[in-house]
Amino acid sequence: MNYIVKGIGGFYYVRTPEGVVECKARGIFRKRGITPVAGDNVALSPDGTMIDEILPRKNVFIRPPIANLDVLFIVASTTQPVPSTLVLDQLTAAAIYKDVQPVLVVTKADLAAADQLAQAYAGSGIPLVQLHYDTGEGLDEIRAMIEGKLCAFCGNSGVGKSTLLNALAPELKRETGQISQKLGRGRHTTREVEIFEVSGGRLADTPGFASLEAQKLCRIPKEDLQHTFPEFGPYFGQCRFTGCSHRSETGCAVRQAVEEGKIGKTRYASYLAMYEEASARKEWER
Ligand code: ZN
């Protein structure tokens, strides 16, 4: 399968069975308002210089510009900086909403804090990997998840995201800590998304996506939020009222599951906060 490795200044670098070739895109895409992005599976013209067709996408993100993402590794540190469970829940929800498998990677694993996170996500079905750089524990688990998939990493600076990328793909030779220091917030990033083949899968290096900003990934309508918390699933249809928003309604099975400790308290708190946020959103922001 041919796919776009990187797009820069109107040129696209497409990996083909014969190697990477430089292409341009047909004008028809611009007319249709479609921008080819890294991760797009494409068909080339017979001479191999034009992108003739973009194959149907599983998903597409604007920031960072990438298509067909399978796995999003959300890298969080249990010590400085301490993760906000709300931010982590916003990111896992955004991933699930876009049909991407979220995986939490906990670095600098302080035992107590890591246990707390592990507990919060225990019933969620969202995998959580504890990573120990000194022993390399957790790396193989991550490598296994990369195999055959297109993956991206996100995490605030200081959580060890570049250390992790270096450990997984030493050939990329990223400078540790270079990421978000150089790229001022809100400014145009100077580097493009680029995809590398690593551990039998593909890793997207997404320089503009250093910080944990779920809002950039997508906005989830409030009615759809419940479906981005997998542990709510078993209780759907058991609430007293159809169309229950699982907030303050009496006879809500989701809330009862929270009270019985079957759903994590921080997870439910995030759901409520995200519901409020989505309700307050203006029409044009949706
Ligand atoms: Zn309910």
Side-chain angles (χ1 to χ4, degrees), residues 4 6-14 21-30 36 42-45 47-54:
I4 299 178
K6 179 163 80 167
I8 183 162
F11 288 95
Y12 297 93
Y13 297 86
V14 176
V21 295
E22 187 184 274
C23 302
K24 299 204 94 174
R26 290 215 177 278
I28 188 77
F29 297 123
R30 188 179 297 176
V42 295
L44 299 182
S45 60
D47 66 356
T49 63
M50 272 293 175
I51 294 174
D52 267 357
E53 197 189 336
I54 297 172

Side-chain angles (χ1 to χ4, degrees), residues 9-221:
F11 288 95
Y12 297 93
Y13 297 86
V14 176
R15 181 167 288 281
T16 72
E18 289 79 42
V20 174
V21 295
E22 187 184 274
C23 302
K24 299 204 94 174
R26 290 215 177 278
I28 188 77
F29 297 123
R30 188 179 297 176
K31 277 183 205 149
R32 291 183 191 154
I34 302 167
T35 308
V37 294
D40 265 326
N41 298 312
V42 295
L44 299 182
S45 60
D47 66 356
T49 63
M50 272 293 175
I51 294 174
D52 267 357
E53 197 189 336
I54 297 172
L55 304 189
R57 292 163 166 168
K58 171 187 174 183
N59 52 42
V60 64
F61 294 89
I62 309 298
R63 295 178 77 177
I66 187 163
N68 300 316
L69 197 60
D70 294 310
V71 181
L72 179 65
F73 290 99
I74 300 159
V75 189
S77 156
T78 51
T79 57
Q80 312 261 316
V82 177
S84 141
T85 50
L86 175 58
V87 172
L88 297 180
D89 291 335
Q90 285 171 331
L91 281 163
T92 56
I96 290 168
Y97 186 63
K98 288 275 201 169
D99 198 15
V100 176
Q101 170 69 57
V103 177
L104 288 165
V105 180
V106 182
T107 62
K108 300 184 195 172
D110 166 71
L111 283 179
D115 279 354
Q116 249 176 2
L117 273 184
Q119 225 167 21
Y121 287 95
S124 70
I126 297 167
L128 183 143
V129 180
Q130 294 196 25
L131 187 62
H132 301 268
Y133 287 119
D134 42 351
T135 61
E137 194 188 329
L139 271 179
D140 283 345
E141 215 175 321
I142 293 172
R143 284 198 188 100
M145 289 171 172
I146 294 173
E147 201 180 331
K149 302 280 177 20
L150 175 57
C151 311
F153 286 77
C154 66
N156 277 329
S157 61
V159 299
K161 190 183 88 157
S162 4
T163 314
L164 174 56
L165 286 178
N166 282 340
L168 290 169
E171 63 271 28
L172 303 191
K173 290 195 185 70
R174 279 186 134 264
E175 276 175 54
T176 304
Q178 78 175 14
I179 303 178
S180 47
Q181 278 80 1
K182 281 189 183 171
L183 303 169
R185 252 167 159 266
R187 295 177 56 191
H188 289 290
T189 56
T190 49
R191 294 184 52 215
E192 312 291 327
V193 171
E194 185 164 0
I195 295 172
F196 298 92
E197 306 217 331
V198 166
S199 297
R202 294 174 295 158
L203 261 188
D205 191 8
T206 52
F209 191 37
S211 59
L212 296 169
E213 289 173 272
Q215 299 291 3
K216 284 185 181 174
L217 276 179
C218 66
R219 298 183 190 280
I220 307 167

